[in-house]
Amino acid sequence: MNNSGSGNALERFFAGKGFYIVLFLCLAVIGISFWMLASGNETMQSDSSVVTPRFEDRRVETIIVTPQETPAVEITEEAPELIEEGLTEVSEPVPEPTEAVVAVMAPSYTWPVSGEIERGYSRDTLSYDNTMRDWRVHQALDILAPIGQQVVAAHAGVVECVTQDDLLGTVVIIDHGDGSRGIYANLAAEPTVITGDVVACGAVIGAVGDTAIGESGQQTHLHFAMTANGQSVDPLGYLPG
């Protein structure tokens, strides 16, 4: 009888308190579940925190093993000298200075023939003329030379005319272009120039002849006279001494 009473009392206790007990157990299970879930999250977080440094360590190691940049070559102070030497080597050689060429000027005047002066220039003083057998001025030079000797231009110019004079024979007049003229008389009948020819100083214009009747009493010679601005002048003032 006691055992059944005890059992009934227990049944009454569980019947009255059973709902709360079940609720407590459920809450306990739920609490334990939340606790385990929280513990699992913490574990995962702790694991990830452990892995992260390793990942970071690997990145650091990757940066460390990156090849270093090649250091730039330093330019020393001797570099400009090397560059200058290179430019000097490729530059074209400078030609050595040559001696200055001295221009040889042609003579301004030259003697028309070589020979002694038989009769000199006289503008105001009278001299005896063997051909005319009188006293007169002689506004020229009579230069002794054999027949056929070449006569050259005493100065450069243009042949103004070639004429036949009654007293002086074959005459060639050269205009020098500076207001002066050269007059060559007693030439051979056929001179080597004609009117308009341009002649240089020393160019052959003819030869000594015997065509001057007015000086036939003298030895063979060239009758050479000059004028400046239309006035008679002494050729000796122009011919080289």
Side-chain angles (χ1 to χ4, degrees):
M1 294 292 293
N2 293 332
N3 288 333
S4 65
S6 298
N8 293 331
L10 182 61
E11 291 177 0
R12 288 192 298 267
F13 173 79
F14 280 105
K17 303 296 183 178
F19 173 77
Y20 295 102
I21 291 172
V22 173
L23 179 62
F24 173 78
L25 292 175
C26 290
L27 292 175
V29 172
I30 293 170
I32 292 170
S33 299
F34 276 107
W35 176 80
M36 292 179 65
L37 180 61
S39 298
N41 291 335
E42 290 179 359
T43 303
M44 293 177 65
Q45 291 177 0
S46 62
D47 292 341
S48 62
S49 62
V50 172
V51 174
T52 301
R54 293 179 182 176
F55 178 74
E56 293 177 353
D57 290 343
R58 287 197 295 273
R59 293 180 62 186
V60 171
E61 290 177 359
T62 303
I63 294 172
I64 292 173
V65 299
T66 301
Q68 297 180 356
E69 296 181 358
T70 304
V73 179
E74 295 182 358
I75 299 176
T76 62
E77 295 180 355
E78 297 179 356
E81 296 180 359
L82 295 175
I83 294 173
E84 292 179 359
E85 292 177 0
L87 291 176
T88 302
E89 293 177 358
V90 300
S91 59
E92 295 182 359
V94 179
E96 297 182 357
T98 57
E99 297 182 357
V101 178
V102 179
V104 179
M105 300 299 293
S108 178
Y109 281 85
T110 188
W111 285 82
V113 290
S114 297
E116 297 180 1
I117 298 176
E118 181 189 25
R119 190 176 179 187
Y121 178 85
S122 175
R123 180 177 180 178
D124 300 320
T125 303
L126 299 177
S127 63
Y128 186 74
D129 188 329
N130 291 327
T131 303
M132 298 298 177
R133 298 184 182 276
D134 59 6
W135 294 81
R136 59 180 63 195
V137 296
H138 186 253
Q139 297 180 346
L141 295 178
D142 288 341
I143 305 171
L144 293 176
I147 294 177
Q149 181 172 331
Q150 288 186 335
V151 178
V152 300
H155 191 63
V158 179
V159 177
E160 184 178 292
C161 64
V162 177
T163 63
Q164 296 293 328
D165 185 82
D166 292 339
L167 294 178
L168 296 178
T170 302
V171 179
V172 172
I173 300 177
I174 297 177
D175 183 358
H176 299 151
D178 58 359
S180 66
R181 287 177 171 79
I183 303 169
Y184 307 78
N186 197 32
L187 295 173
E190 298 293 336
T192 58
V193 294
I194 60 175
T195 301
D197 282 352
V198 178
V199 295
C201 179
V204 177
I205 61 172
V208 175
D210 56 357
T211 57
I213 298 175
E215 294 184 345
S216 58
Q218 302 174 222
Q219 300 182 58
T220 56
H221 63 278
L222 171 69
H223 181 92
F224 178 59
M226 286 189 63
T227 63
N229 299 321
Q231 301 296 320
S232 175
V233 294
D234 187 352
L236 289 178
Y238 294 84
L239 299 176

